[in-house]
Amino acid sequence: MRNYTTQMDAARKGIITPEMKTVAAKEYRTEEEIRDLVAKGQVAICANKLHTCIDPNGVGSMLRTKINVNLGVSRDCKDYNIEMEKVMAAVNMGAEAIMDLSSHGNTQPFRRKLTSECPAMIGTVPVYDSVIHYQRDLATLTAKDFIDVVRLHAEDGVDFVTLHCGITRKTIEQIRKHKRKMNIVSRGGSLVFAWMCMTGEENPFYEYYDEILDICREYDVTISLGDACRPGCLADGSDVCQIEELVRLGELTKRAWEKDVQVMVEGPGHMPMDQIEANMKMQQTICMGAPFYVLGPIVTDIAPGYDHITSAIGGAIAAASGAAFLCYVTPAEHLALPNVDDVKQGIIASKIAAHAADIAKKIPHARDIDDRMGDARRNLDWDAQWECALDPETAKRIRDERKPEHEDTCSMCGKFCAVRSMNKALNGEYIDIL
Amino acid sequence: MRNYTTQMDAARKGIITPEMKTVAAKEYRTEEEIRDLVAKGQVAICANKLHTCIDPNGVGSMLRTKINVNLGVSRDCKDYNIEMEKVMAAVNMGAEAIMDLSSHGNTQPFRRKLTSECPAMIGTVPVYDSVIHYQRDLATLTAKDFIDVVRLHAEDGVDFVTLHCGITRKTIEQIRKHKRKMNIVSRGGSLVFAWMCMTGEENPFYEYYDEILDICREYDVTISLGDACRPGCLADGSDVCQIEELVRLGELTKRAWEKDVQVMVEGPGHMPMDQIEANMKMQQTICMGAPFYVLGPIVTDIAPGYDHITSAIGGAIAAASGAAFLCYVTPAEHLALPNVDDVKQGIIASKIAAHAADIAKKIPHARDIDDRMGDARRNLDWDAQWECALDPETAKRIRDERKPEHEDTCSMCGKFCAVRSMNKALNGEYIDIL
């Protein structure tokens, strides 16, 4: 039997867990460094005790930036096996976390399948599942019903749960008073808000936070403190609703840490580029270095169909400025349920943002693969280029579709290829262009 | 007859030209403000006297960020009319400049077609065209041959020419000595370098710079000072080769301004995110506020097939930090000649970067359309959303392909739609989710 409850509890007792060892090896850090960061809450190792097939990862601003992919069974895709194939494809493309946002039918079997077969961190949003699980109208659910679903997810082996604990009845008046352009765009946040409006009661995830902490401590479920008031358009960025909730999330972070429960804090959202760095720095101070998990930030509102790009811009800046964890955004965001290709585009855009930020943050060895790509390009060694490429199939397909006349170049420049000219010039060779 | 040579000459004489008036109206500035910025060289209005169908635009860090699209007749696409259709499509998608990089056959008719029919700024790279124009081996061309092509382009009505004036014979030794990973990746820069290596002569664009200035002054051709040593991989970012050339470009900027010739300065390239802002600030001081025209910056080397995204990240940061003009990068970059869809993807990614930066820079009215999108989203008014969208067809197609069950929402969230829940909650209505 292990002589600790959570990773944080172990770290504080000076125990280096197997999960910490794995994280240390992956991140080129000493085990002691990781233990210390987990003890301080600056790294979360989201690993439910019952998720035994997990390949653990650490989430923290000083570690490699992680990405999350949202999937789940829906009315349109009810087949567990097909959805599981998407999950494993996402993991193979580099997703460190899968959030199961299943919204149809009996959600438990798929959730259990995830925690018994998938090596990525598994996250859920219990408030979504409450309506589905009980198959009852939102207004008829009780505070106890919600807490029971949190327990159910913990028992099913979920590694982290998004809980919108940061809004209260006061928020109702605040949202009315401040006349935000987009009010609340967090799906879970809007459900909690709607439930409070209909029942007249306090937010159960806030009111019964201590009970939730006890559950999370027992299974080592990391709480991802949801940001109900994340801005839903540029105009609402960094407004008082958002920042007041952040302050409350800081208080809740402290309360979780007092019970050795690991925490991540969720963040914006839609936001002008020039506000991103300030938001990251503010979260780091207010939440005492707890890992920041951001959705976006989406840096312009006018690009539906391309929000994987708007959020790659924002996500890269966020991660370079302190965010630890990026939620992918697909081209279908704001428009439709993403299809298989949207999922792929979203993952690649997020990986680009995360990797670019890791290089900027000087994460150990992050740039090694870029340097190998540089060598491969100088040598016009196309096979070596494919080995370094994030998506070699796509890159190879583009080149092969438009075959170059000269095997060593590509059809973009042909014999005007700068690399070819330079290699010849530096070798003292004659350069033919025509 | 007009009583001035270039826009800069006019501005310095206190004359407000029709082009300055147009720019002032587009940019929500006074005519006097624009005149003053043109006089100081901080705004370039690239408008050859002979390009009479131009719809003039100003390029400057305090104005809306402009984007350039590279097109041109090639071995694969020899039909002038088809290429012209691509040009007009690019202009309709929002490109303010078209660079004609034609690399096949008789290039003059297409160039003249551009300056007689296209309202965008037209740019060229005379050194590419020299080889094509004379149909002779690079090594056999003389300095006079190159200068004659610059004159030909000026006479054909070209608004700006990229000239790699900033490298000299000293650069040959420097490139050897510093052992850059990617040497020179600028196509034009590599041709100049190769020519210098093969002939033993000095760079003609540097040696005969005064003659070039006289040509540019006569027709009001803006010189876009090419950056032969722009880094071709992250490892070469901000190295001494790049920065020494930048210093020389600053000197050349001053010499051009002494003859009232307008200047833009070209910049990186491949570069880690954390170096971008410093590069933009450095260019602004060294080149005394001359507009900075950047290719990328591409923030990771490992994403061939997705370099429209890597450069949207870098371009957005660059523009927000002072770059004035972004050269589009397509998904085919490093791999192949872009096809029609690649061109579209490249334009949209660049527009996103430019617009996000304009919002961050607080360019007057830049955010208005985002605010309208926010209103449309809150109202679940899909037609109004399409009106604000950068690419309404794509956005509409994604939503329509996966028709929502409920007309007011979309298939992503269905009745879990946060906007729908919030609108009902704030109206005191009952919220049904199931």
Side-chain angles (χ1 to χ4, degrees):
Chain A
M1 268 305 288
R2 60 194 216 176
N3 52 349
Y4 56 86
T5 56
T6 65
Q7 296 289 328
M8 182 176 246
D9 179 41
R12 287 169 168 184
K13 287 174 172 157
I15 300 166
I16 289 170
T17 65
E19 291 78 11
M20 293 175 205
K21 288 184 188 179
T22 303
V23 170
K26 285 183 184 179
E27 304 276 354
Y28 305 96
R29 300 278 181 156
T30 67
E31 295 170 358
E32 182 53 30
E33 281 175 308
I34 296 298
R35 188 204 59 72
D36 182 55
L37 290 163
V38 172
K40 289 190 288 197
Q42 292 175 13
V43 164
I45 299 179
C46 309
N48 186 308
K49 288 178 188 177
L50 303 178
H51 184 185
T52 51
C53 67
I54 198 170
D55 176 18
N57 270 302
V59 180
S61 72
M62 71 303 291
L63 304 182
R64 202 168 44 75
T65 306
K66 308 304 185 292
I67 72 159
N68 172 69
V69 168
N70 295 331
L71 287 167
V73 181
S74 64
R75 207 178 289 268
D76 288 338
C77 187
K78 301 171 195 177
D79 187 319
Y80 297 159
N81 292 317
I82 291 177
E83 201 62 15
M84 197 65 196
E85 275 173 36
K86 288 192 212 167
V87 166
M88 298 312 288
V91 173
N92 289 334
M93 278 190 269
E96 288 90 0
I98 302 289
M99 285 193 82
D100 172 19
L101 305 188
S102 289
S103 62
H104 184 75
N106 183 359
T107 54
Q108 193 173 40
F110 184 65
R111 189 164 54 243
R112 288 191 171 170
K113 193 173 172 65
L114 279 172
T115 58
S116 59
E117 295 177 21
C118 179
M121 299 182 263
I122 304 300
T124 59
V125 189
V127 71
Y128 299 173
D129 193 39
S130 299
V131 179
I132 307 291
H133 176 76
Y134 296 109
Q135 287 289 310
R136 295 210 324 261
D137 257 11
L138 180 65
T140 70
L141 299 178
T142 64
K144 185 175 176 302
D145 290 334
F146 290 117
I147 308 301
D148 285 346
V149 171
V150 175
R151 186 176 295 107
L152 186 70
H153 285 209
E155 290 167 353
D156 285 343
V158 166
D159 303 300
F160 65 98
V161 287
T162 292
L163 300 176
H164 299 85
C165 311
I167 55 171
T168 64
R169 294 206 60 79
K170 248 186 69 183
T171 310
I172 299 176
E173 287 325 299
Q174 203 168 31
I175 290 282
R176 285 188 193 280
K177 195 175 83 188
H178 288 288
K179 299 202 186 305
R180 305 183 103 190
K181 201 178 271 297
M182 284 297 288
N183 299 310
I184 283 178
V185 296
S186 151
R187 207 154 69 161
S190 73
L191 293 175
V192 172
F193 189 96
W195 186 86
M196 287 195 290
C197 286
M198 290 191 290
T199 62
E201 290 183 41
E202 184 51 281
N203 175 359
F205 298 101
Y206 180 73
E207 196 170 10
Y208 300 100
Y209 190 61
D210 281 323
E211 227 167 289
I212 290 168
L213 291 178
D214 291 338
I215 297 168
C216 291
R217 182 180 164 90
E218 185 177 347
Y219 295 89
D220 201 358
V221 175
T222 300
I223 297 183
S224 190
L225 288 166
D227 56 331
C229 296
R230 70 165 172 265
C233 61
L234 299 188
D236 294 343
S238 309
D239 75 350
V240 69
C241 301
Q242 181 203 327
I243 304 304
E244 207 205 27
E245 186 183 27
L246 180 67
V247 170
R248 202 166 301 112
L249 298 184
E251 296 162 8
L252 294 166
T253 297
K254 210 173 156 199
R255 283 173 60 190
W257 287 353
E258 283 164 5
K259 293 204 176 186
D260 303 320
V261 172
Q262 300 186 98
V263 170
M264 301 190 287
V265 175
E266 296 186 14
H270 292 236
M271 178 160 286
M273 276 174 67
D274 59 312
Q275 297 179 10
I276 297 174
E277 188 182 348
N279 267 266
M280 301 303 121
K281 302 299 177 200
M282 217 184 320
Q283 184 273 343
Q284 290 289 292
T285 55
I286 291 177
C287 301
M288 300 145 291
F292 206 15
Y293 175 22
V294 299
L295 176 66
I298 284 174
V299 295
T300 166
D301 300 334
I302 65 165
Y306 300 89
D307 277 323
H308 60 311
I309 298 179
T310 62
S311 66
I313 295 171
I317 299 171
S321 315
F325 193 19
L326 304 180
C327 185
Y328 91 149
V329 172
T330 80
E333 183 76 21
H334 301 108
L335 297 171
L337 209 58
N339 62 24
V340 174
D341 187 56
D342 291 326
V343 169
K344 178 181 170 180
Q345 297 302 320
I347 293 173
I348 288 173
S350 290
K351 289 297 284 183
I352 287 172
H355 180 64
D358 288 346
I359 292 164
K361 281 205 275 197
K362 304 194 183 355
I363 296 291
H365 299 286
R367 216 190 67 192
D368 292 359
I369 189 164
D370 296 75
D371 291 349
R372 285 204 297 280
M373 178 65 96
D375 289 331
R377 284 186 169 146
R378 186 190 59 248
N379 296 328
L380 291 168
D381 180 340
W382 293 90
D383 288 329
Q385 289 180 47
W386 309 146
E387 277 169 32
C388 300
L390 206 50
D391 178 5
E393 288 72 27
T394 297
K396 198 169 176 328
R397 179 181 52 70
I398 292 173
R399 179 165 185 262
D400 290 350
E401 270 172 8
R402 296 154 245 177
K403 264 289 180 203
E405 266 187 284
H406 309 281
E407 208 27 70
D408 53 349
T409 64
C410 79
S411 65
M412 184 168 182
C413 304
K415 283 168 97 177
F416 278 94
C417 174
V419 177
R420 175 181 172 275
S421 295
M422 288 302 295
N423 289 349
K424 283 177 180 281
L426 291 170
N427 258 335
E429 293 173 34
Y430 187 83
I431 300 120
D432 57 311
I433 305 287
L434 281 177
Chain B
M1 270 305 286
R2 60 193 218 178
N3 51 349
Y4 56 86
T5 57
T6 65
Q7 295 288 328
M8 182 177 246
D9 179 42
R12 287 169 168 184
K13 288 176 171 155
I15 299 167
I16 290 169
T17 64
E19 290 78 12
M20 292 176 204
K21 287 184 188 177
T22 303
V23 170
K26 284 183 183 178
E27 304 276 354
Y28 304 96
R29 300 278 180 156
T30 67
E31 295 170 359
E32 182 52 30
E33 281 175 307
I34 296 298
R35 189 205 56 73
D36 182 55
L37 290 164
V38 172
K40 289 190 288 196
Q42 293 177 11
V43 163
I45 300 179
C46 309
N48 186 308
K49 287 178 190 178
L50 302 177
H51 184 186
T52 50
C53 67
I54 198 170
D55 175 20
N57 270 302
V59 181
S61 72
M62 71 303 291
L63 305 183
R64 205 168 43 74
T65 305
K66 308 304 185 294
I67 72 160
N68 172 70
V69 168
N70 295 331
L71 287 167
V73 181
S74 64
R75 208 178 288 268
D76 289 338
C77 187
K78 301 171 197 176
D79 187 320
Y80 297 160
N81 293 316
I82 291 176
E83 201 63 16
M84 198 66 197
E85 275 174 35
K86 288 191 211 165
V87 166
M88 297 312 289
V91 173
N92 289 334
M93 277 189 269
E96 287 90 0
I98 302 289
M99 285 194 83
D100 173 18
L101 305 188
S102 290
S103 63
H104 185 73
N106 181 1
T107 54
Q108 193 174 38
F110 185 65
R111 189 164 56 243
R112 288 191 171 171
K113 195 174 171 65
L114 280 170
T115 58
S116 59
E117 296 177 20
C118 179
M121 298 182 266
I122 304 300
T124 59
V125 189
V127 72
Y128 299 174
D129 193 38
S130 300
V131 179
I132 307 292
H133 176 75
Y134 297 108
Q135 287 289 310
R136 295 212 321 263
D137 257 12
L138 180 65
T140 70
L141 299 178
T142 65
K144 185 174 175 303
D145 290 333
F146 290 118
I147 308 302
D148 285 345
V149 170
V150 175
R151 186 176 296 107
L152 186 70
H153 285 210
E155 290 167 354
D156 284 342
V158 166
D159 303 300
F160 65 99
V161 287
T162 293
L163 300 175
H164 299 85
C165 311
I167 56 171
T168 65
R169 293 206 61 81
K170 249 186 69 184
T171 310
I172 300 175
E173 287 324 299
Q174 201 166 32
I175 289 282
R176 286 187 193 280
K177 194 175 83 188
H178 288 289
K179 299 202 187 305
R180 302 184 104 189
K181 201 178 270 296
M182 284 297 287
N183 299 311
I184 284 178
V185 296
S186 151
R187 209 155 65 162
S190 73
L191 293 176
V192 173
F193 189 96
W195 186 86
M196 287 195 290
C197 285
M198 290 191 289
T199 62
E201 292 183 40
E202 184 50 283
N203 175 0
F205 299 101
Y206 180 74
E207 196 170 9
Y208 300 99
Y209 190 60
D210 281 323
E211 226 167 290
I212 290 169
L213 291 178
D214 292 337
I215 297 168
C216 291
R217 182 180 164 89
E218 183 177 347
Y219 294 90
D220 201 357
V221 175
T222 300
I223 297 184
S224 190
L225 288 165
D227 57 330
C229 295
R230 70 165 173 266
C233 61
L234 300 188
D236 293 344
S238 310
D239 75 350
V240 70
C241 301
Q242 181 203 327
I243 304 305
E244 207 205 27
E245 186 183 27
L246 180 67
V247 169
R248 202 166 302 111
L249 299 184
E251 296 162 7
L252 294 166
T253 297
K254 212 174 152 199
R255 283 174 59 189
W257 287 353
E258 282 165 5
K259 294 205 176 187
D260 303 322
V261 172
Q262 301 187 97
V263 170
M264 300 190 288
V265 175
E266 297 186 13
H270 292 237
M271 177 161 286
M273 277 174 66
D274 60 312
Q275 297 178 9
I276 297 174
E277 188 183 348
N279 268 266
M280 301 304 120
K281 302 299 177 202
M282 218 184 318
Q283 185 273 344
Q284 290 288 292
T285 55
I286 291 177
C287 301
M288 300 147 290
F292 206 13
Y293 175 23
V294 299
L295 177 66
I298 284 173
V299 296
T300 166
D301 299 333
I302 65 164
Y306 300 88
D307 278 322
H308 59 312
I309 298 180
T310 62
S311 66
I313 295 171
I317 299 170
S321 314
F325 193 19
L326 304 180
C327 185
Y328 91 149
V329 172
T330 80
E333 183 75 20
H334 300 109
L335 297 170
L337 208 57
N339 62 24
V340 174
D341 187 57
D342 292 325
V343 169
K344 178 181 170 179
Q345 297 302 320
I347 293 174
I348 288 174
S350 290
K351 289 296 285 182
I352 288 172
H355 180 64
D358 289 346
I359 292 164
K361 281 205 273 196
K362 303 194 185 351
I363 297 291
H365 299 287
R367 214 189 69 192
D368 291 359
I369 189 164
D370 296 76
D371 291 350
R372 285 203 298 279
M373 178 65 96
D375 289 330
R377 283 185 169 146
R378 186 190 59 249
N379 296 328
L380 292 168
D381 180 341
W382 293 89
D383 288 329
Q385 290 180 47
W386 309 146
E387 278 169 33
C388 301
L390 206 50
D391 178 5
E393 287 71 30
T394 296
K396 197 169 178 326
R397 179 181 52 71
I398 293 174
R399 179 165 184 262
D400 290 351
E401 271 172 8
R402 298 151 242 178
K403 265 290 180 201
E405 267 187 284
H406 310 281
E407 206 29 66
D408 52 350
T409 63
C410 79
S411 65
M412 184 168 183
C413 304
K415 283 169 98 175
F416 276 95
C417 174
V419 176
R420 174 181 173 275
S421 295
M422 288 302 295
N423 289 349
K424 283 178 180 278
L426 291 170
N427 257 334
E429 292 173 34
Y430 187 82
I431 299 119
D432 56 311
I433 304 288
L434 282 177

